[in-house]
Amino acid sequence: SFAYFTIKDRLPQILTRVIDTLHRHKNEFFEDHGEKGVEAEKRAISFLSKLRNELQTDKPVTPLEDELPDAALWNQYLDYQRNLSNGNGEPSWFQSPWLYVECYMYRRIHAALAQNPPIDDFDVFKEGKAQNFFESQEAVIALCTYFQELLKNIKDLDEKQLQEELFKLLQVSLWGNKCDLSFSAGKDSSQKSSPLQSLENMIPYILVNDMEKLWSQLVNTKKKNTETSNVRVDIILDNAGFELVSDLVLADFLLSSKLADEVHFHGKSIPWYVSDTTKRDFNWTIKQLQSANHMWMSRCGINWEGNLKKGVWVYRDHMFWTLPHDFSSMAEVAPDLYADLQKSNLLLFKGDLNYRKLTGDRKWEYTVPFHQALNKFHPAPLCSLRTLKSDTQVGLKPGQGEQIQASEPEWMVSGKYGVVQFDAAI
């Protein structure tokens, strides 16, 4: 299966790159921290080499031994996996759910650094994320320019034109999700050309297109909410780099068009899945745009910094996003986060990992309704913007999946197809 290929080939490659990254920064650790830095780097590498060996030889998954705040939850989850196996031996790397062991690997990478001060704050994926951003420069310029031109006459747009612009920016955000470094095991995956040019040609590749429903949700909420209550949209982020810029443009459009009054962003509290957005990536991206020597890029950066200062944009992270649990257990495991999401009028979940966690990463029949696959996770109306990079997909029309499968066996994992899939949460 694709899961087996991922664990067997892709994850060891990612670990090897992490070890190489630490090797390359040895001098920097020495300059910053002296011998202590070098010792810490050696310990982290030894920890990661052991992890790689455990993975490649299908050893049992071991409890976490660190003191980090989420360790107890991880170890409870391992007990839960042991109970699932009904005494058929310990959960191991190749004999466990893919979602669990993949998340577990990233959590162990984090532990390798967190347990080794003074380099405990080092993000082993930061370079790749920065490189993706710089290599997507042309696309970023094209998008920022398009958006700033749009803002000049946004007040004059009628409802139909606003809808058209929203649909365009939703698609840019959707296809921005192709730029995923864990998918390419860290190899180049930047957005080279202007994403706006090819949107028309990409429409046939959106297998579920609920943009109309999403539009109705926003417009109806706006009409219902009088002056007294704000319309709030939450974006559960995926990758840094070009995808993040496309999400920020979408968020700015929601505010500028008055479809929303505030946008809450949810990122990861630790480096995760190679290119996922952390608070540091979020702030770094806005700073990069601000200081760019391109008028419209820097205008975007300045405006976005302003949105954060005014509080109409809010960035949050929560430990739950980097746990192995699927979202149907959020109400129980992270009731505070679930209660916060219930205050939202629309949740936009970006990317493949969020889709896997929304649907429990199960091998569903393609035609199972999205609402059913969410398994009672309905804090608020929600929409998944996702390009397919794993073999879980629901909510298709009868025969739709089989038809594509016949001509493209790799359709579920190539990133070529996408969904904009909505659930009204009723």
Side-chain angles (χ1 to χ4, degrees), residues 189-400:
S189 63
S190 50
Q191 172 78 32
K192 296 282 195 285
S193 58
S194 166
L196 291 142
Q197 314 280 289
S198 46
L199 292 181
E200 275 303 305
N201 309 338
M202 305 288 274
I203 295 263
Y205 299 102
I206 304 178
L207 301 178
V208 179
N209 189 343
D210 289 339
M211 286 194 278
E212 295 277 353
K213 291 180 186 171
L214 195 147
W215 168 256
S216 302
Q217 170 64 26
L218 286 167
V219 171
N220 294 338
T221 308
K222 194 71 205 163
K223 284 175 184 158
K224 271 192 298 218
N225 285 27
T226 52
E227 295 302 302
T228 48
S229 58
N230 277 354
V231 176
R232 167 176 155 182
V233 173
D234 288 56
I235 303 179
I236 295 82
L237 297 168
D238 191 20
N239 300 301
F242 177 76
E243 182 175 359
L244 176 59
V245 176
S246 71
D247 298 338
L248 296 171
V249 166
L250 175 62
D252 194 350
F253 175 79
L254 290 170
L255 289 186
S256 306
S257 62
K258 308 261 193 297
L259 286 166
D261 303 298
E262 54 183 282
V263 179
H264 293 223
F265 299 93
H266 300 265
K268 304 295 195 297
S269 51
I270 60 175
W272 197 247
Y273 273 70
V274 186
S275 48
D276 281 21
T277 303
T278 62
K279 184 174 191 176
R280 202 185 276 173
D281 301 322
F282 188 87
N283 292 333
W284 179 87
T285 302
I286 290 175
K287 287 270 180 294
Q288 286 299 323
L289 289 161
Q290 258 179 320
S291 60
N293 61 0
H294 185 281
M295 180 169 66
W296 295 137
M297 266 175 87
S298 75
R299 176 68 59 83
C300 281
I302 290 161
N303 290 350
W304 297 346
E305 181 76 20
N307 288 344
L308 289 164
K309 287 203 169 85
K310 282 187 287 212
V312 291
W313 277 13
V314 179
Y315 177 90
R316 307 182 162 191
D317 46 36
H318 192 289
M319 177 167 89
F320 182 80
W321 302 120
T322 52
L323 289 175
H325 304 66
D326 56 57
F327 294 157
S328 64
S329 58
M330 184 192 289
E332 190 190 338
V333 177
D336 56 328
L337 177 61
Y338 194 85
D340 181 48
L341 296 183
Q342 284 178 308
K343 296 174 190 159
S344 183
N345 300 104
L346 176 65
L347 307 172
L348 295 175
F349 285 89
K350 290 300 309 284
D352 198 72
L353 178 61
N354 279 324
Y355 193 85
R356 289 166 64 193
K357 289 189 167 192
L358 283 166
T359 60
D361 204 31
R362 290 173 171 77
K363 205 155 181 56
W364 295 105
E365 296 289 321
Y366 302 140
T367 51
V368 165
F370 187 40
H371 185 82
Q372 184 186 329
L374 290 170
N375 191 15
K376 304 189 175 60
F377 177 71
H378 307 295
L382 64 86
C383 186
S384 167
L385 298 177
R386 169 242 186 174
T387 60
L388 280 65
K389 301 172 203 157
S390 62
D391 35 18
T392 296
Q393 181 58 51
V394 296
L396 299 185
K397 296 186 180 81
Q400 191 182 5

